[in-house]
């Protein structure tokens, strides 16, 4: 099966790769582009560890084909920080001990960033429902929710 | 509420600094099992049995092998013969011999130049099976007509006349059971069942293995224990342990499930057969659920005797557990030992059976065996308290195990903190919150032994006086931070001046995995001892320079100083000064400690949960949740709270949602997270915690280990809360909406 | 004599005793004496048991035991 030449933008950088028609965007990010921050926890869109944004829309990259990335703007965990300056969410996750093993963390950060961009002042319930597609087995979510709420407050200038 | 026998007033211990690996883990830089590639790397795929029990008649790989890019296919024929005991179990579970023993059992594996090609090739490998009768349920597997899974497996403990699937028998106890029950005002007996659940770590098993024809190899793998991987892979492959160098990746959760091997030897065997090219093997979620460590399913009888004032007079438990098709994999011994450990009861008897079933080989799961046991015992205790009109927490306190009392499993307890834990629970504000209609409150206690084990730690002073610590226990939940904190505290230097590295198998003596809640306890103990050894050397270097006796030098605030005015007047010599000149004062300075750590202290917990049950759907909503647990000493309280949160929520999942669902054909029906439903953020409230600190005298900072106890009380606490809310008592898990609804209806029809 | 408490399932392999007195100064000598007196216990000891001395699990076979110590053999515990 011949491969498809894909030209796209990841975290603002122009990239190109050859995708097997069956390769997911997740496979292409990890195996073709070496962006292994995005994780595969299930491959069926249930766990959210592979969350990325495609043209600003939050998706599971295991449910998107690599070929579909053509001409899009892809955002991954590697693009959340501005150089060495961490995004408030990243700082708050460390500060609140909101990660234990850290495997779900990239997907949750990408998802939480998308939430705060669309709803800068979410309630606890809104955060919980927004992140209901991101499984974490270590933390019981408590400190994750606190970190997201605190990051939102900081970004609003509320503290 | 510290009950301090040990020193307090630490500089660093008890604070909440950032974890050292935090930055890597929020930026996507941290490298997990599947994140590494190597030049010339091949990808592997595994062929698995679609049958619960089947004889393997023929494996034909010819169609796969003709594909360009397919480099090797392996079957059991590529592994050595003659293994015995647990080594044979590990080999048999890695790749089936004559018979596939469960749905998902590996029968062949293939390595090829791409992941897709390996998967295509695996589909072309033809396996001819003769399907055999299977058995899934633990009670059914003991029945006379149950298919025999492997005759002759039973060990010496099993009395004659039992079904060949019964492979272990355990009994122990003390006191006069008959007199104990006779002295009771109320005697009740019930039967409880729990289904198997999976540890559910989000990172699937993954490794990159390389091995040459000379038996020398390397492996990168997500594991709780790199030395276990080394020993087990070497045993399965018939190679020398020291020739395999195992480097642990960051680990995306384990909970006991990554303390053993499942597919790692396949990567090495494929590499060996493919000319030594590195082979990457990453499981799918379905493979994880079908073929890696779930916990046991259990069927349990409990009988308790209680006086009208709540005093327990006698207890009898009989547990049956299956841990798959392999002996020694169920935690029935642990379950029995934990079952009554929270109480002082004059007469107790425990009896247990391990039973084979056509299921995957069970692995350890957080406090193995204790949650099931607690579900049975704590549920019945709650029922009896309600029947006698007694406060369930007051009854737990009245009967609580305490220092000097005889433990249910035999010995006398040393310093333990159950009484303090229960008192803190009873004082908590959550107990005063009024409840509304369809709401109920449940409480339960829990116990885990904790563990010490083989531990080797090295510590080296840098040329600038900063310190590296090499430990062998992978960091799953922040142990780099707690180990760095204890090291810095002991050395009297800033936390930031210490780097803790998790090292490969060549760098230290053998370490047991991060299991048994032991990383902060045992690696911490060894790191403190290693630091003390380095301090002794540094004091000696200062003494030599000052020309005084080494005994006249003491270590204060990160520097050597003369001990008192008689030792001489010298300004303190800092660790940085000593480090800068160590090359010319006797050579590099390091500390090292090796120990099979004893001295671990049990951790007790108590949980209180408020639920609301929807009488229309049977759905249970957790309104409020409180975890109170004795940490001994919380080195980094935020990560202790994290363990309490995580344990509680795994327990909530086990109680309400999670179960292995098998079809009549013996195949696992729920092999994706959509169907194997672990708790999600919107299912839960915040989890309230109270860290009780009754220091463990067996650890320099009083650490007990906190990882496991927290999963134990939620199962019965939820059952007790649902009973309080609905009047319906559920005695089998999970308490999923259809089961709760059926129980409510049965209650309404007078059958409850 | 050190009094070794067995779990009751071992009774039938130890001449119907649950407390076996043995001459021993260390854990190793205690286990050796136990299996010398009751060879049927050997498979259990070899399969792995935990030894509790005065309420602490002892992992060092050279650890001392004295007649006044409380000594229990208990099921070996695996952690998660």
């Amino acid at each position: 099966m011949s491969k498809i030449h894909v030209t796209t933008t990841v975290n603002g950088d122009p990239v190109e790769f050859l995708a097997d028609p069956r390769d997911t965007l997740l496979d292409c990010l990890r195996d073709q582009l070496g962006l292994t921050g995005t994780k595969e926890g299930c491959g069926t869109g249930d766990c959210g560890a592979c969350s990325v944004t495609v043209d600003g829309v939050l998706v599971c990259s295991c449910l998107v084909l690599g070929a579909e990335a053509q001409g899009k703007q892809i955002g991954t965990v590697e693009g959340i920080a501005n150089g060495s300056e961490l995004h408030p969410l990243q700082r708050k996750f460390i500060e609140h001990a909101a990660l234990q093993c850290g495997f779900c963390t990239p997907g949750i950060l990408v998802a939480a960033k998308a939430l705060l961009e669309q709803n800068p002042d979410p309630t606890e319930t809104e955060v919980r429902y927004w992140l209901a597609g991101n499984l974490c087995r270590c933390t019981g979510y408590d400190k994750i929710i606190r970190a997201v709420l605190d990051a939102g407050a900081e970004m609003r200038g509320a503290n | 509420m510290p009950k301090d026998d040990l020193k307090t007033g630490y500089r660093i211990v008890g604070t909440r600094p950032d974890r050292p690996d935090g930055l890597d883990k929020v930026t996507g830089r941290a490298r997990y099992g599947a994140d590494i590639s190597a030049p010339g790397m091949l990808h592997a795929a595994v062929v698995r049995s679609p049958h619960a029990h089947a004889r393997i008649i023929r494996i034909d790989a010819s169609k796969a092998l003709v594909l360009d890019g397919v480099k090797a296919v392996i079957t059991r024929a590529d592994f050595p013969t003659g293994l015995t005991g647990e080594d044979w179990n590990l080999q048999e579970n890695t790749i089936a011999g004559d018979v596939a023993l469960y749905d998902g059992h590996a029968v062949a594996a293939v390595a090829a130049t791409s992941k897709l090609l390996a998967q295509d090739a695996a589909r072309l490998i033809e396996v001819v099976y003769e399907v055999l009768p299977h058995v899934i349920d633990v009670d059914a597997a003991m029945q006379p007509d149950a298919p025999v899974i492997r005759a002759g497996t039973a060990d010496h403990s099993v009395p004659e006349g039992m079904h060949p699937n019964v492979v272990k028998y355990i009994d122990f106890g003390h006191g006069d059971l008959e007199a104990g029950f006779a002295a009771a005002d109320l005697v009740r007996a019930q039967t409880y069942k729990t289904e198997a659940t999976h540890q559910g770590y989000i990172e699937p098993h993954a490794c990159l293995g390389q091995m040459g024809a000379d038996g020398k190899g390397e492996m990168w793998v997500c594991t709780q224990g790199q030395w276990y991987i080394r020993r087990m892979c070497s045993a399965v492959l018939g190679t020398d342990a020291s020739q395999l160098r195992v480097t642990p990746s960051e680990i995306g959760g384990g909970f006991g499930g990554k303390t053993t091997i499942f597919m790692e030897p396949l990567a090495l065997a494929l590499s060996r057969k493919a000319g030594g090219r590195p082979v990457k093997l990453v499981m799918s979620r379905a493979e994880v659920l079908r073929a890696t460590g779930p916990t046991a399913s259990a069927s349990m009888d409990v009988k308790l005797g209680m006086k009208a004032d709540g005093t327990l007079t006698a207890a009898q438990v009989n547990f049956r557990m299956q841990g798959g098709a392999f002996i020694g994999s169920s935690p029935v011994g642990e379950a029995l030992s934990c079952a009554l450990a929270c109480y002082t009861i004059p007469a107790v008897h425990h009896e247990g059976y391990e039973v084979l079933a056509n299921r995957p080989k069970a692995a350890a799961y957080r406090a193995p065996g204790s949650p099931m046991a607690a579900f049975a015992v704590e549920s019945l205790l709650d029922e009896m308290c309600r029947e006698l009109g007694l406060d369930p927490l007051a009854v737990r306190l009245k009967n609580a195990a305490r220092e000097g009392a005889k433990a249910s499993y035999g010995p006398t307890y040393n310093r333990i903190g159950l009484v303090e834990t229960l008192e803190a629970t009873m004082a908590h504000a959550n107990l005063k919150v009024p409840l509304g209609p369809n709401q109920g409150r449940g409480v339960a206690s829990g116990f885990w032994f904790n563990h010490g084990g083989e531990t080797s730690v090295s510590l080296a002073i840098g040329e600038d006086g900063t310190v590296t610590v090499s430990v062998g226990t992978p960091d799953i939940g922040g142990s780099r931070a707690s180990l760095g904190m204890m090291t810095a505290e002991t050395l009297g230097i800033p936390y930031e001046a210490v780097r803790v590295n998790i090292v490969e198998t060549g760098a230290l003596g053998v370490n047991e995995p991060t299991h048994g809640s032991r990383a902060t306890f045992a690696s911490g103990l060894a790191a403190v001892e290693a630091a003390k050894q380095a301090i002794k050397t540094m004091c000696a270097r200062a003494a030599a320079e000052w020309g005084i006796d080494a005994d006249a030098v003491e270590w204060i605030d990160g520097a050597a100083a003369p001990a008192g005015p008689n030792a001489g007047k010298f300004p303190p010599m800092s660790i940085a000064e000593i480090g800068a000149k160590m090359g010319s004062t006797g050579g590099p300075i390091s500390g090292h400690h090796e120990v099979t750590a004893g001295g671990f202290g049990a951790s007790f917990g108590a949980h209180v949960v408020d639920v609301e049950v929807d009488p229309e759907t049977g759905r249970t909503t957790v309104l409020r949740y409180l975890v109170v647990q004795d940490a001994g000493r919380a080195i980094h309280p935020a990560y202790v709270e994290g363990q309490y949160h995580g344990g509680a929520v795994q327990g909530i999942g086990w109680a309400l949602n999670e179960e292995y669902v098998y079809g009549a054909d013996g195949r696992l029906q729920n092999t994706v997270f959509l169907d194997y439903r672990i708790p999600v953020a919107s299912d839960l409230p915040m989890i309230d915690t109270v860290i009780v600190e009754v220091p463990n005298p067996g650890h320099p900072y009083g650490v007990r280990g906190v990882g496991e106890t927290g999963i134990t009380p939620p199962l019965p606490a939820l059952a007790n809360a649902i009973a309080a809310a609905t009047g319906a008592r559920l005695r089998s898990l999970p308490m999923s909406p259809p089961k709760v609804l059926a129980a409510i209806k049965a209650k309404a029809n007078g059958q409850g | 004599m050190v009094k070794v408490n067995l779990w009751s399932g071992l009774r039938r392999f130890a001449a119907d005793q649950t407390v076996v007195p043995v001459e021993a100064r260390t854990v190793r000598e205690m286990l050796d004496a136990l299996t010398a007196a009751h060879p049927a216990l050997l498979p259990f000891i070899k399969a792995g048991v935990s030894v509790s001395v005065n309420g602490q699990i002892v992992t060092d076979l050279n650890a001392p035991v004295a007649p006044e110590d409380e000594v229990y053999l208990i099921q070996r515990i695996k952690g998660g």
Side-chain angles (χ1 to χ4, degrees):
Chain A
M1 222 174 300
S2 64
K3 296 201 172 184
I4 300 162
H5 180 232
V6 179
T7 304
T8 185
T9 306
V10 179
N11 300 326
D13 297 332
V15 297
E16 50 190 316
F17 55 83
L18 293 176
D20 185 287
R22 295 176 291 173
D23 277 336
T24 65
L25 175 57
L26 175 61
D27 294 329
C28 295
L29 288 170
R30 291 178 53 83
D31 300 339
Q32 308 279 346
L33 300 176
L35 292 169
T36 53
T38 305
K39 303 302 180 196
E40 177 162 350
C42 68
T44 50
D46 297 319
C47 81
C50 67
S51 297
V52 301
T53 54
V54 177
D55 285 349
V57 177
L58 182 65
V59 297
C60 286
S61 60
C62 72
L63 298 183
V64 178
L65 290 172
E68 292 181 85
Q70 175 66 39
K72 302 280 203 266
Q73 296 279 338
I74 312 295
T76 73
V77 67
E78 287 93 344
I80 291 182
N82 180 14
S84 57
E85 185 193 341
L86 293 183
H87 187 278
L89 277 165
Q90 292 172 310
R91 275 192 287 106
K92 292 298 178 186
F93 266 60
I94 297 174
E95 185 183 318
H96 284 266
L99 56 128
Q100 287 181 31
C101 82
F103 192 80
C104 70
T105 308
I108 291 185
L109 288 169
V110 169
K113 180 167 174 277
L115 167 66
L116 295 179
E117 280 165 5
Q118 135 175 359
N119 179 359
D121 190 10
T123 64
E124 180 192 329
T125 301
E126 285 170 335
V127 176
R128 287 187 178 277
Y129 276 90
W130 182 273
L131 293 179
N134 290 84
L135 301 181
C136 169
R137 191 60 156 173
C138 296
T139 66
Y141 304 102
D142 183 300
K143 291 178 186 293
I144 291 174
I145 305 300
R146 290 178 199 276
V148 174
L149 290 169
D150 196 18
E154 183 185 296
M155 289 165 71
R156 295 192 306 276
N159 57 357
Chain B
M1 58 236 34
K3 301 271 182 189
D4 279 358
D5 305 320
L6 300 174
K7 176 177 174 284
T8 55
Y10 297 116
R11 266 181 328 116
I12 298 170
V13 164
T15 64
R16 301 175 179 234
D18 290 350
R19 63 189 285 170
D21 50 337
L23 185 58
D24 284 350
K25 287 180 176 169
V26 299
T27 52
R29 283 204 301 268
R31 290 170 302 173
Y32 292 81
D35 295 344
I36 283 281
S37 297
M41 183 175 84
L42 302 174
H43 296 264
V46 178
V47 180
R48 296 182 181 278
S49 169
H51 305 294
H53 198 195
R55 188 170 305 284
I56 299 166
I57 305 295
R58 192 172 67 250
I59 301 173
D60 180 356
S62 55
K63 287 181 186 159
L65 285 165
V66 298
L67 292 181
D68 288 338
V70 172
K71 300 298 180 187
V73 171
I74 54 168
T75 64
R76 180 65 170 273
D78 293 283
F79 290 79
T81 57
L83 277 61
T84 58
E86 182 61 10
D87 289 346
W88 184 87
N89 287 338
L90 290 167
Q91 187 185 53
E92 179 73 12
N93 191 44
T94 300
I95 189 157
D98 298 334
V99 178
L101 293 165
Y102 57 91
D103 167 45
H105 198 171
V107 298
V110 55
T113 50
S114 80
K115 195 159 63 179
L116 290 169
L117 181 59
Q119 288 165 1
D120 289 343
R123 277 188 283 271
L124 292 172
I125 296 175
E126 292 170 355
V127 186
V128 179
Y129 297 96
E130 174 199 346
V131 177
L132 302 171
H134 67 272
V135 63
I136 297 294
D137 179 76
V138 60
D139 290 322
M142 296 176 78
Q143 295 304 309
D145 60 344
V148 175
I149 293 177
R150 198 166 56 252
T153 304
D155 76 8
H156 32 264
S157 63
V158 179
E160 280 179 33
M162 309 254 1
H163 190 285
N165 290 343
V166 178
V167 293
K168 269 184 191 294
Y169 172 76
I170 302 165
D171 84 313
F172 59 95
H174 57 254
D176 184 338
L177 210 56
E178 211 171 308
F181 283 121
D185 296 311
L186 182 69
V187 175
R188 289 286 178 262
Q190 287 292 352
T191 299
Y192 300 84
K193 287 196 92 158
T194 62
E195 202 14 274
T197 55
H198 196 276
Q199 294 83 349
Y201 31 81
I202 309 300
E203 183 195 26
H205 295 265
C207 69
L208 173 60
Q210 183 277 324
M211 182 169 273
D214 57 0
K216 290 186 168 63
E218 290 195 73
M219 174 162 277
W220 166 269
V221 57
C222 64
T223 178
Q224 290 176 246
Q226 54 272 42
W227 282 268
Y228 269 30
I229 294 280
R230 185 179 81 161
R231 172 171 61 75
M232 292 175 181
C233 284
S234 302
V236 167
L237 294 164
T239 53
D240 292 343
S242 296
Q243 297 299 337
L244 180 62
R245 179 184 183 203
V246 181
T247 304
S249 69
E250 292 301 325
I251 172 172
F255 314 109
K258 290 177 184 168
T259 57
T260 185
I261 56 166
F262 293 102
M263 72 346 171
E264 292 79 3
L266 298 177
L268 294 169
L270 283 165
S271 173
R272 196 164 57 176
K273 202 165 181 178
R277 289 176 70 169
V279 173
K280 186 169 182 170
L281 179 48
V282 181
M283 278 194 176
S284 68
R285 178 55 50 184
E287 286 181 294
V288 171
L289 287 167
R290 285 170 75 203
T292 75
T295 187
S297 63
S299 173
M300 301 168 287
D301 302 330
V302 183
K303 183 179 175 185
L304 296 176
M306 189 184 277
K307 284 185 185 286
D309 68 354
T311 305
L312 288 166
T313 59
Q316 188 174 15
V317 298
N318 182 318
F319 294 172
R320 286 111 13 221
M321 288 188 170
Q322 68 72 31
F326 302 89
I327 185 172
S329 297
S330 89
V332 66
E334 287 87 344
L336 293 170
S337 299
C338 293
L340 302 164
C342 290
Y343 305 108
T344 302
I345 309 174
V348 294
H349 191 247
H350 312 73
E351 210 172 354
Y353 301 87
E354 177 171 292
V355 185
L356 300 186
N358 292 111
R359 299 203 194 204
K361 186 177 192 296
Y365 181 19
R366 210 168 195 158
S370 192
M372 304 83 141
F375 173 61
V377 171
E378 295 284 302
S379 289
L380 184 60
L381 186 66
D382 190 76
E383 281 193 67
M384 294 170 71
C385 290
R386 284 174 205 280
E387 195 169 342
L388 291 170
L390 300 169
D391 172 1
L393 277 171
V395 167
R396 283 172 172 82
L397 184 58
K398 180 189 268 292
N399 294 286
R402 55 190 84 209
E403 185 176 5
K406 186 175 175 60
S408 60
Y409 53 90
T412 303
Y413 278 120
N414 290 334
R415 190 77 180 94
I416 52 172
L418 178 58
V419 168
E420 290 82 352
T421 298
L422 288 167
E423 286 171 350
T425 308
M426 293 168 85
H428 197 274
N430 280 19
L431 274 96
K432 296 174 188 71
V433 178
L435 296 174
N438 301 315
Q439 297 183 354
R441 179 166 296 150
V443 305
S445 304
F447 163 84
W448 182 248
F449 292 92
N450 294 327
H451 183 56
E454 287 167 84
T455 310
S456 172
V457 167
S458 283
L459 173 153
I461 310 297
E463 306 88 322
D464 58 356
T466 62
V467 173
T468 53
V469 184
S470 300
V471 303
T473 43
D475 180 356
I476 312 186
S479 58
R480 282 185 184 90
S482 64
L483 297 175
M485 291 167 75
M486 285 184 277
T487 303
E489 185 80 53
T490 305
L491 286 168
I493 60 176
Y495 166 70
E496 294 74 17
V498 178
R499 175 165 178 144
V500 178
N501 294 320
I502 316 297
V503 300
E504 47 99 357
T505 51
L508 286 175
V510 172
N511 275 271
E512 280 183 40
T514 297
H515 69 166
S517 301
R518 78 178 209 96
T520 297
F521 170 75
S523 283
L525 183 143
V528 167
E529 291 303 319
K532 287 180 181 168
Q533 194 184 30
I535 286 171
K536 205 172 164 193
T537 305
M538 291 190 286
C539 286
R541 298 285 171 95
E545 186 162 333
W546 292 331
I548 63 174
D549 197 77
D551 293 341
V553 177
E554 60 185 356
W555 190 259
I556 305 168
D557 294 338
N566 296 337
K569 275 193 183 330
F570 303 100
M573 192 183 294
S574 72
I575 190 170
E577 292 172 73
I578 296 170
K581 53 193 170 193
M582 63 188 170
S584 54
T585 61
I589 299 173
S590 59
H592 186 75
H593 193 70
E594 278 163 341
V595 64
T596 299
F600 44 96
S603 180
F604 290 84
H607 292 197
V608 181
V609 59
D610 292 351
V611 303
E612 181 168 324
V613 181
D614 182 343
E616 302 294 322
T617 64
R619 181 174 194 271
T620 300
T621 302
V622 178
L623 303 171
R624 215 165 280 111
Y625 203 100
L626 170 65
V627 179
V628 184
Q629 189 182 322
D630 177 15
R633 171 91 61 210
I635 302 299
H636 191 308
Y639 287 103
V640 173
E641 290 160 6
Q643 291 297 319
Y644 291 4
H645 293 157
V649 169
Q650 281 189 323
I652 290 170
W654 196 339
L656 297 181
N657 302 317
E658 296 175 35
E659 63 177 319
Y660 266 41
V661 179
Y662 283 92
D665 57 4
R667 291 178 188 171
L668 186 63
Q669 302 291 296
N670 52 339
T671 62
V672 293
F673 271 139
L674 190 65
D675 301 324
Y676 184 88
R677 192 183 182 290
I678 73 173
V680 304
S682 55
D683 293 339
L684 297 160
M686 294 298 187
I687 309 291
D688 301 316
T689 57
V690 176
I691 301 174
V692 175
E693 294 188 303
V694 178
N696 169 22
H699 185 276
Y701 290 110
V703 168
R704 288 187 184 273
V706 295
E708 291 169 283
T709 301
I711 196 175
T712 296
L715 286 62
L718 265 297
N720 297 341
I722 290 170
T726 65
R729 173 61 62 173
L730 280 93
R731 299 193 183 91
S732 80
L733 296 183
M735 297 176 285
S736 52
K739 280 164 77 174
V740 173
L741 193 60
I744 294 171
K745 284 185 175 161
K747 179 80 186 168
N749 296 333
Q751 298 155 3
Chain C
M1 300 284 266
V2 175
K3 291 181 282 298
V4 185
N5 292 269
L6 308 181
W7 68 82
S8 45
L10 296 183
R11 188 189 308 155
R12 62 197 160 99
F13 304 101
D16 213 32
Q17 303 173 86
T18 47
V19 182
V20 181
V22 296
E23 289 290 353
R25 289 162 304 169
T26 66
V27 172
R28 185 199 313 278
E29 287 179 10
M30 181 271 287
L31 293 173
D32 287 348
L34 209 53
T35 50
H38 304 288
L41 289 174
L42 193 61
F44 294 91
I45 308 284
K46 280 172 81 174
V49 294
S50 292
V51 178
S52 166
V53 179
N54 298 327
Q56 283 291 350
I57 302 294
V58 172
T59 50
D60 183 355
L61 290 173
N62 299 316
V65 286
E68 62 273 19
D69 289 339
E70 178 205 73
V71 178
Y72 271 85
L73 297 193
I74 57 178
Q75 305 282 326
R76 194 162 59 170
I77 304 297
K78 289 178 295 201

